[in-house]
């Protein structure tokens, strides 16, 4: 290392900066930090119970008085619940969901828009759930493109085969004359 320092004294400042940067990159790739707990009273997993870890907590008043928080940013930008029109928008959304669900009944055939595309199925559940706020439509799909079997977080809303059930917001469900699609896999015409 002394040799490198002596050589660097002979070169220009720009070259020295470039060489130091290169050396830093080279040596940083081989640096590791190893931490060993030499406390003989320590036990394996003693820090996995988060109730034993001291936490930094603020009271609601202290948090509200700070200006460097997400809440302060939202208040300043009038976002979410800090938007004067927020309550109106939420009421309008709830009213729209109520109207859409009012036009549906359990057993209706439907077409739904999900992350995996458009699928057909039958309405099996209408109403509120414990897993999320708002109104939800439980649908048994004709094909296994769902996420559940009608049970979410231990609560059963309807019963269907695994991967055939899905819960969607009412605006993603269209009821109507959507017969089960006949998927004939016995034909070798297109194989």
């Amino acid at each position: 290392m002394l040799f490198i320092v002596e050589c660097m004294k002979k070169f220009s400042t720009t070259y020295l900066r470039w060489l130091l940067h290169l050396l830093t990159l080279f040596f940083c790739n081989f640096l590791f930090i190893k931490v060993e707990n030499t406390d003989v009273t320590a036990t394996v997993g003693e820090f996995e119970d988060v109730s034993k870890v001291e936490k930094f907590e603020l009271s609601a008043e202290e948090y509200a008085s700070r200006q460097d928080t997400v809440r302060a940013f939202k208040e300043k930008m009038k976002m979410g619940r800090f938007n004067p029109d927020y309550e109106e928008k939420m009421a309008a959304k709830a009213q729209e969901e109520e109207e859409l669900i009012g036009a549906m009944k359990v057993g209706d055939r439907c077409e739904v828009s999900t992350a995996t595309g458009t699928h057909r199925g039958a309405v099996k559940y209408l109403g509120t759930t414990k897993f999320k706020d708002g109104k939800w439509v439980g649908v048994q799909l004709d094909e296994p493109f769902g996420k559940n079997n009608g049970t979410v977080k231990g609560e059963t809303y309807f019963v269907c085969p695994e991967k055939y059930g899905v819960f969607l917001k009412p605006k993603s469900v269209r009821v109507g004359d959507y017969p089960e699609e006949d998927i004939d896999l016995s034909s070798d015409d297109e194989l």
Side-chain angles (χ1 to χ4, degrees), residues 4 7-8 25 46 57 106 138 141 151 158 169 175 179 184 187:
I4 293 172
C7 290
M8 289 183 353
L25 288 175
E46 72 177 301
E57 294 182 12
V106 172
L141 300 175
T151 300
F158 64 93
K169 295 305 277 179
V175 295
D184 185 17
S187 173

Side-chain angles (χ1 to χ4, degrees), residues 33-39:
I33 297 175
K34 182 178 179 181
V35 178
E36 282 188 31
N37 187 356
T38 57
D39 183 5

